[in-house]
Amino acid sequence: MARELAAGELAPNAAHAEAQHAFPRSTFRHLGELGMLGMPYDEAYGGAGLPYEVYLQVLEELAGAWASVAVGVSVHVMSCYPLATFGTDEQRARWLPDMVGGTLLGGYCLSEADAGSDPAAMRCRAERTDTGYRLTGSKAWVTHGGEADFYTVFARTSDHRSRGISCFLVPGDAPGLSAGKAESKMGLTGSTTATIELDGVEILEERRIGDEGQGLQIALSALDSGRLGIAAAAVGLSQSALDHAVAYAGERETFGKPIIEHQGLGFLLADMAAAVDSARATLLDAARRRDLGRPFARQASVAKLVATDAAMRVTTDAVQVLGGAGYTTEFPLERFMREAKIMQIFEGTNQIQRMVISRHLQKDGAAASIRATRAA
Amino acid sequence: MTKIVVLVKEVPDAAVQKQVDSSTGRLDRSGEKTLNPFDTHAIEAALQLKESGALDVDEVVAVTVGPSSAVKALHKAVSLGADRSIHLTDDALVGSDVVGTGYALAELIKRESPDLVLAGQQSDDGQSYAVGAAVAEYLGWPGLTQVIKLDVDGQTLTCERQAEYGYDTVKVTLPAVISVGDAINEPRYPSLKAIMGAKKKPLESLSLGDAEIDASKVGEAGRKAVWTGSQEPPAKAAGELIEDEDTAETVEKIVAWLDDRKLI
């Protein structure tokens, strides 16, 4: 179904919408009607109850046709994660069905202009009021900024660097909330990205997700799962680039034979295929761990790192396979290449992924040294 | 209350290179398979009749004759919105011709006694275009093929069918067998929930004996059409390529080309 939808609805519209920088709100509405905006969440709350392994395969299919849509679904799913995972039963029953089972679209407000890779440096404040909180500050790089129906916002409730941050569910039409001008970007131009200004946005206490001060923990936990979505989008994009390159290389002839039969090109395609397959393997490993309820944060970072680096290389090489044609907008490869770049940057730059992985290595180091001693 | 039976078939995916097995004369049906695309239009037509209230439909039943793998086509049919499905599968059915298949389907339909039978006008593999007509003949009901528009007034259907030149407008009274073309509608995508719920909808699996179908009229035993050989279609003459240098000029060339052949 995802494949048919991708081929029938997404692929034919992608190039035009991306060129027009037009946000495909109606496409997301359609996805919501088909039940595709809450795939990994509990059926009791309107989700589809799919394991991550399956949800990520669907994302792959979407990304191969239109990366902006796959990234949008991934961001939306991540925006629902704090409520779904840390909300009370009452909070979930009240808001989650519309968020995961309906056509609402979410945004995730964590980064700030001076707090991107280091979210604990955030300055956006949530001051206590009689009925709840007043949010003041600005949030940067918000996917669906200005288009979303709700935002999952992280803001400071005390000065404690890591334990002074809390998580809030803010309606998109809350008075005092406004979106800045959409960023002009290199790729994912169909997806809108904007700064969200919070100018004394009053919200009720019942909209705080988790405990006061638990925000950073929630944010990082959401990112662990979100990274899997980005890794899946990267694998889907790479697969699509490879498919286009192989199809072209089988038809295009130089020196009297299809270029795929020239070893230089054939080996390039082989390396691309190896990169796609190995990236998918890291993704599946992390997803299956998550589905089994085992720790997967390190594997999610490995998958995000490997899959997005692979996507950058595979899309770049795919342009090379098509030569001059690949550099034109007649083919989607140049767009794929621009889209791949952001994947190495958002939801934790690949430098941050290495930090996460090395911290896990250090934490697990004691166990590893015991194993090594035993083996000796 | 109205019941609609939709005839569906599992066919090789469009992307699969189709080949005839030269020893049996049958299509090699290995590889990726899918619900016949034309049948999705028949299902959509049934659902639109139900949802619009044009007919007071209480049930849409998908019916197929095919090997065990054909269950997947039925799952697709119920995920699109059919209420339940029936699968006739029996080794004795292997090698049935169009008339044999039509007979078996008609027998299944009699068990259901629906008011309307809808089918895709052709299958993506066999392409006989004739199963719907064979079914109508066995049932003794009016049968219309290549229908691309369907209006209901009480028990009367006004159908537009694609004819060789233009369209025929035909009125029929229910019960009837209608095979539809792909121009009739735009099939929906199944929702994720419907896909996941598909396996929970009732599926009845029948053998020839269960359905009291005469085994001598189907399969190898009952077939009247016998495959004797096949050959490649004759190669087409090379077409004429018009380079688009000046679009106005190109249009003139195309118009002149068509005019020469009295096509416009």
Side-chain angles (χ1 to χ4, degrees):
Chain A
M1 186 265 273
R3 192 169 297 165
E4 284 173 26
L5 181 84
E9 304 283 308
L10 305 188
N13 298 322
H16 183 70
E18 290 288 320
Q20 300 295 315
H21 294 223
F23 180 69
R25 186 66 185 90
S26 64
T27 300
F28 284 100
R29 210 163 277 126
H30 190 197
L31 290 175
E33 285 160 7
L34 294 174
M36 293 175 78
L37 290 182
M39 288 180 271
Y41 294 115
D42 199 340
E43 286 176 271
Y45 294 112
L50 288 182
Y52 253 64
E53 187 177 342
V54 177
Y55 155 59
L56 296 174
Q57 283 175 26
V58 174
L59 272 190
E60 260 194 54
E61 293 292 340
L62 301 182
W66 194 351
S68 285
V69 171
V71 166
V73 171
S74 179
V75 167
H76 169 81
V77 164
M78 181 168 70
S79 305
C80 299
Y81 175 94
L83 172 61
T85 313
F86 295 91
T88 63
D89 286 347
E90 199 189 331
Q91 287 176 316
R92 282 188 284 189
R94 183 152 168 205
W95 292 303
L96 206 50
D98 287 339
M99 288 161 60
V100 307
T103 56
L104 298 187
L105 195 62
Y108 192 77
C109 301
L110 177 65
S111 290
E112 295 179 7
D114 296 316
S117 290
D118 178 15
M122 76 170 60
R123 290 210 292 259
C124 177
R125 302 205 70 89
E127 292 164 318
R128 274 277 187 183
T129 62
D130 292 344
T131 53
Y133 297 89
R134 184 183 302 115
L135 306 185
T136 307
S138 77
K139 289 289 177 182
W141 314 118
V142 179
T143 302
H144 306 152
E147 296 281 350
D149 301 294
F150 64 90
Y151 296 93
T152 296
V153 179
F154 297 89
R156 199 158 270 299
T157 39
S158 86
D159 288 331
H160 191 284
R161 201 178 122 80
S162 60
R163 286 196 297 280
I165 295 168
S166 302
C167 175
F168 304 93
L169 184 62
V170 182
D173 58 1
L177 184 150
S178 62
K181 191 171 156 290
E183 305 288 347
S184 172
K185 304 190 302 259
M186 168 179 170
L188 291 188
T189 46
S191 173
T192 178
T193 308
T195 294
I196 291 292
E197 298 292 345
L198 300 156
D199 185 11
V201 175
E202 303 265 357
I203 57 163
L204 296 174
E205 179 158 12
E206 62 193 23
R207 284 185 167 270
R208 192 192 70 228
I209 310 294
D211 296 331
E212 211 171 85
Q214 202 187 357
L216 193 64
Q217 181 208 338
I218 294 173
L220 298 181
S221 171
L223 282 169
D224 286 340
S225 293
R227 279 166 191 154
L228 294 177
I230 298 310
V235 172
L237 185 67
S238 314
Q239 181 70 60
S240 188
L242 173 64
D243 293 345
H244 278 281
V246 169
Y248 186 85
E251 281 175 13
R252 168 78 177 169
E253 292 190 6
T254 61
F255 305 102
K257 56 182 179 182
I259 59 173
I260 196 168
E261 289 176 22
H262 295 300
Q263 197 182 60
L265 245 280
F267 278 18
L268 185 62
L269 290 164
D271 284 343
M272 289 161 68
V276 176
D277 288 0
S278 51
R280 184 177 289 120
T282 63
L283 173 66
L284 282 173
D285 174 47
R288 286 172 185 163
R289 281 170 184 275
R290 189 188 191 284
D291 288 334
L292 288 170
R294 289 164 62 180
F296 67 96
R298 186 181 77 147
Q299 287 77 12
S301 281
V302 168
K304 200 272 185 184
L305 171 65
V306 170
T308 59
D309 280 354
M312 194 67 248
R313 206 180 91 210
V314 169
T315 54
T316 306
D317 287 346
V319 170
Q320 190 71 21
V321 170
L322 271 75
Y327 199 68
T328 70
T329 54
E330 289 291 307
F331 291 85
L333 283 316
E334 60 81 30
R335 169 162 67 84
F336 289 178
M337 188 174 158
R338 288 185 283 110
E339 289 167 345
K341 186 64 218 173
I342 188 58
M343 297 185 183
Q344 295 179 305
I345 299 170
F346 62 18
E347 295 204 20
T349 64
N350 284 3
Q351 286 65 39
I352 292 295
Q353 304 308 325
R354 290 180 173 91
M355 248 171 73
V356 173
I357 297 164
S358 65
R359 275 183 192 160
H360 276 279
L361 292 176
Q362 190 183 8
K363 211 167 69 182
D364 301 340
S369 78
I370 292 167
R371 275 203 302 278
T373 318
R374 280 200 193 132
Chain B
M1 282 307 202
T2 307
K3 187 198 275 188
I4 302 178
V5 161
V6 183
L7 307 180
V8 301
K9 185 184 186 187
E10 180 194 51
V11 296
D13 191 87
V16 174
Q17 187 81 28
K18 292 173 192 71
Q19 276 189 330
V20 173
D21 179 338
S22 55
S23 63
T24 62
R26 284 182 213 132
L27 189 68
D28 174 6
R29 289 190 169 88
S30 58
E32 188 83 8
K33 288 188 266 295
T34 182
L35 173 63
N36 178 33
F38 285 89
D39 300 345
T40 61
H41 293 275
I43 294 167
E44 181 66 35
L47 297 176
Q48 287 185 8
L49 288 173
K50 182 177 177 177
E51 289 163 2
S52 68
L55 277 175
D56 186 14
V57 180
D58 61 338
E59 204 178 24
V60 175
V61 186
V63 173
T64 198
V65 173
S68 54
S69 62
V71 166
K72 274 174 70 182
L74 292 175
H75 282 157
K76 177 83 189 279
V78 296
S79 72
L80 284 165
D83 298 295
R84 63 185 171 90
S85 58
I86 299 170
H87 182 197
L88 180 71
T89 184
D90 200 306
D91 289 343
L93 285 160
V94 176
S96 294
D97 61 13
V98 169
V99 174
T101 306
Y103 160 71
L105 285 167
E107 289 300 308
L108 291 172
I109 292 163
K110 283 180 193 165
R111 289 164 54 92
E112 291 290 327
S113 56
D115 305 276
L116 173 63
V117 175
L118 290 169
Q121 67 177 21
Q122 75 207 72
S123 63
D124 234 17
D125 52 356
Q127 304 263 16
S128 78
Y129 285 70
V131 170
V135 168
E137 185 65 24
Y138 273 109
L139 291 171
W141 294 359
L144 280 179
T145 57
Q146 289 167 268
V147 169
I148 49 129
K149 195 162 181 281
L150 219 169
D151 288 315
V152 185
D153 183 15
Q155 292 293 298
T156 306
L157 299 185
T158 305
C159 302
E160 231 170 71
R161 63 180 299 275
Q162 262 169 339
E164 201 167 351
Y165 301 100
Y167 299 92
D168 294 340
T169 304
V170 185
K171 275 187 171 35
V172 291
T173 309
L174 295 177
V177 181
I178 310 280
S179 23
V180 303
D182 54 1
I184 193 168
N185 54 38
E186 193 62 47
R188 66 197 62 191
Y189 295 93
S191 79
L192 207 53
K193 280 208 181 93
I195 292 173
M196 288 168 32
K199 286 182 182 160
K200 291 178 198 140
K201 288 190 179 173
L203 179 130
E204 193 181 359
S205 185
L206 302 171
S207 67
L208 287 177
D210 296 335
E212 294 173 25
I213 290 173
D214 185 348
S216 71
K217 290 191 183 173
V218 298
E220 300 262 1
R223 73 179 177 187
K224 296 186 174 66
V226 179
W227 178 84
T228 56
S230 62
Q231 61 191 42
E232 296 268 331
K236 278 188 205 161
E240 189 181 328
L241 273 181
I242 301 171
E243 284 286 336
D244 182 21
E245 280 155 12
D246 171 0
T247 303
E249 214 173 280
T250 305
V251 170
E252 261 176 46
K253 281 181 192 166
I254 294 171
V255 169
W257 189 93
L258 291 169
D259 198 36
D260 278 351
R261 286 157 186 80
K262 306 268 178 271
L263 292 169
I264 46 174

